[in-house]
Amino acid sequence: MHRIAVAAHKGGSGKTTVSVNLAGALAAQGGRVVVVDADPQGAAGASLGSPAVKPTLYEVLSGVASLQEAVRPTAHERIDLIPGDLDLAGAEVELPRQDGWQTSLRRALGSLRAYDVAIIDTAPGLGVLPYVALAAADQVLVVCPPDFLSFRSLPTVLEAAERARVPLIGIVPNRVGARTRHEGDVLAELRARHGAQLLGEVPRRVALQDAAIAGQPISVYSPVSEAAEAFDRLAREVSQSHARTP
Ligand SMILES: Nc1ncnc2c1ncn2[C@@H]1O[C@H](COP(=O)(O)OP(=O)(O)OP(=O)(O)O)[C@@H](O)[C@H]1O
Ligand SMILES: [Mg+2]
């Protein structure tokens, strides 16, 4: 099973949107996918239409439940979920008291056999949970909307991935299409500084918000749409990157 962490230092970048819709696109292409909601907000589960029911990732990381007990099907073909809930906020404090906490999620995921890909939706910031998620991943996908503050926070997440020795798949420019001068300037800067690392853009589309409300990835909610096409392309880029990884 290939494990991908979806990360950004800045909150609200689109980590959950990318996680859920990348999972949808990979599943539509025939992959068996498990989404790991490593965020106390539980937004990935909600966006897949699955309310968090115990046991969640919190019980797994606390050692009171196995991953097999926490993983469950969603309403969507070939997409399962390990939910996250508010208790995970406590893990920020509790986890570091355990021996080997850094690799706790990595070890737990090692017991899963039935999937081709695990997509780990991370919490914003660079705290304990994002670190544990990064350390569990084989590769990281970084999300960056074309605005100044997101661009400004890019180096810190790239450095965190490097320190954790997790190779970068690439940077996804997300929510592109405001057509402001500010956006144009940031996109130009992104291309100038990170051109070789940039993946296909995800457009700014209300359908992505509507899909989340409906609890469906865009591949299900609106399979013939620009947003669905963007995630289909992204899924192919992610699969090609994996194929190139030794
Ligand atoms: N491409 C897009 N087009 C339109 N809206 C988007 C797009 N990407 C994200 N959004 C919206 O932006 C908001 C933030 O996105 P999302 O929740 O995916 O970010 P996040 O990085 O997971 O946030 P957090 O840091 O809180 O976990 C949401 O309302 C989401 O629907
Ligand atoms: Mg999120």
Side-chain angles (χ1 to χ4, degrees), residues 8-18 39 41 43 121-125 143 174-176 202-210 212 231:
H9 183 181
K10 193 175 178 311
S13 310
K15 299 175 291 297
T16 301
T17 302
V18 169
D39 184 342
Q41 297 179 89
D121 181 25
T122 66
V143 182
N174 177 46
R175 225 157 41 205
V176 178
V202 173
R204 171 189 289 261
R205 287 293 176 274
V206 175
L208 288 166
Q209 297 173 0
D210 293 339
F231 279 104

Side-chain angles (χ1 to χ4, degrees), residues 35-60:
V35 174
V36 183
D37 195 346
D39 184 342
Q41 297 179 89
S47 305
L48 286 166
S50 301
V53 175
K54 292 291 191 184
T56 71
L57 185 63
Y58 174 74
E59 278 71 30
V60 175

Side-chain angles (χ1 to χ4, degrees), residues 201-238:
E201 293 174 0
V202 173
R204 171 189 289 261
R205 287 293 176 274
V206 175
L208 288 166
Q209 297 173 0
D210 293 339
I213 293 169
Q216 296 175 339
I218 195 77
S219 55
V220 173
Y221 183 80
S222 184
V224 185
S225 62
E226 226 186 307
E229 272 170 34
F231 279 104
D232 183 61
R233 272 197 304 275
L234 182 64
R236 289 180 201 285
E237 288 183 287
V238 165

Side-chain angles (χ1 to χ4, degrees), residues 104-187:
S104 50
L105 182 56
R106 181 162 195 92
R107 277 180 273 121
L109 289 179
S111 64
L112 284 183
R113 295 273 175 270
Y115 305 96
D116 300 305
V117 189
I119 307 277
I120 310 168
D121 181 25
T122 66
L126 298 169
V128 168
L129 282 171
Y131 181 84
V132 163
L134 261 187
D138 302 313
Q139 284 185 300
V140 59
L141 194 63
V142 167
V143 182
C144 184
D147 64 74
F148 167 66
L149 292 178
S150 299
F151 179 74
R152 184 179 161 272
S153 75
L154 248 188
T156 42
V157 70
L158 295 175
E159 282 159 24
E162 217 173 287
R163 270 200 308 279
R165 294 171 200 269
V166 188
L168 176 72
I169 300 175
I171 301 166
V172 184
N174 177 46
R175 225 157 41 205
V176 178
R179 293 169 201 232
T180 57
R181 183 152 150 213
H182 176 87
E183 182 180 285
D185 289 349
V186 177
L187 277 174

